[in-house]
């Protein structure tokens, strides 16, 4: 991640996604808080992001777009309930990021079939890079 503003934008997009079903579950909040700590976002700034609905900055690097898509997918699964609105929104976000729809669908299916809802990093990247050939 290049700038503090990009980190804030990334987190803001995740917060908006977590609220798509109308409520913020404790596990979703905990996950968002972990991401904020990893991105070195201070707690008061993190809480302020729940109030502000700023414009999301486009992630330029494909690797970081794939990572963001995966974070959103993890967030989608962390409350244990897959809402139709979440599935629609994650596809919309991925397409807006310029990610391959087939690769996104494949990653989401891999996560759905995984016992812990996670996909290894090398598998995640290979799903997206095989679409380049």
């Amino acid at each position: 991640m290049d700038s503090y503003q990009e980190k804030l934008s990334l987190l803001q997009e995740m917060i908006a996604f977590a609220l798509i079903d109308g409520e913020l579950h404790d596990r979703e909040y905990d996950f968002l808080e972990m991401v904020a700590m990893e991105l070195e976002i201070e707690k008061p700034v993190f809480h302020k992001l729940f109030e502000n609905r700023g414009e999301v900055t486009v992630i330029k690097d494909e690797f970081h777009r794939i990572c963001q898509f995966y974070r959103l997918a993890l967030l989608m699964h962390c409350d244990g309930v897959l809402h139709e609105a979440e599935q629609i929104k994650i596809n919309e976000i991925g397409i807006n990021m310029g990610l391959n729809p087939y690769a996104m669908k494949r990653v989401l299916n891999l996560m759905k079939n995984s016992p812990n809802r996670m996909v290894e990093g090398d598998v995640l990247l290979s799903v997206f890079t095989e679409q380049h050939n």
Side-chain angles (χ1 to χ4, degrees):
M1 214 42 47
D2 292 331
S3 74
Y4 187 73
Q5 192 57 43
E6 287 175 328
K7 291 176 183 181
L8 290 176
S9 177
L10 180 145
L11 198 53
Q12 197 165 27
E13 180 179 43
M14 292 181 74
I15 290 168
F17 184 72
L19 296 171
I20 199 91
D21 63 358
E23 61 181 298
L24 183 67
H25 300 276
D26 290 342
R27 293 180 74 185
E28 290 173 324
Y29 177 84
D30 293 343
F31 182 78
L32 290 167
E33 189 175 42
M34 282 187 336
V35 172
M37 288 187 328
E38 184 68 29
L39 295 174
E40 300 175 349
I41 305 295
E42 304 82 14
K43 201 164 206 162
V45 174
F46 170 64
H47 288 156
K48 198 89 167 146
L49 292 175
F50 284 90
E51 301 166 16
N52 298 338
R53 301 282 191 247
E55 194 170 306
V56 175
T57 305
V58 176
I59 303 169
K60 294 173 182 68
D61 178 80
E62 183 180 31
F63 173 77
H64 287 105
R65 289 192 313 261
I66 292 169
C67 290
Q68 177 65 352
F69 176 80
Y70 184 60
R71 282 187 206 98
L72 291 171
L74 288 171
L75 181 59
M76 181 172 78
H77 286 283
C78 78
D79 65 357
V81 179
L82 287 176
H83 297 276
E84 185 178 348
E86 290 174 328
Q87 293 175 341
I88 292 168
K89 188 64 175 178
I90 198 167
N91 284 308
E92 179 185 308
I93 291 170
I95 288 170
N96 288 338
M97 285 193 287
L99 296 176
N100 181 291
Y102 177 75
M104 293 185 309
K105 183 177 181 177
R106 198 153 157 235
V107 166
L108 292 173
N109 281 333
L110 287 170
M111 291 178 76
K112 185 178 177 182
N113 294 325
S114 170
N116 62 1
R117 303 296 185 243
M118 297 180 81
V119 175
E120 293 292 325
D122 57 338
V123 173
L124 176 68
L125 292 177
S126 71
V127 168
F128 281 96
T129 56
E130 74 185 22
Q131 298 304 312
H132 292 211
N133 294 332

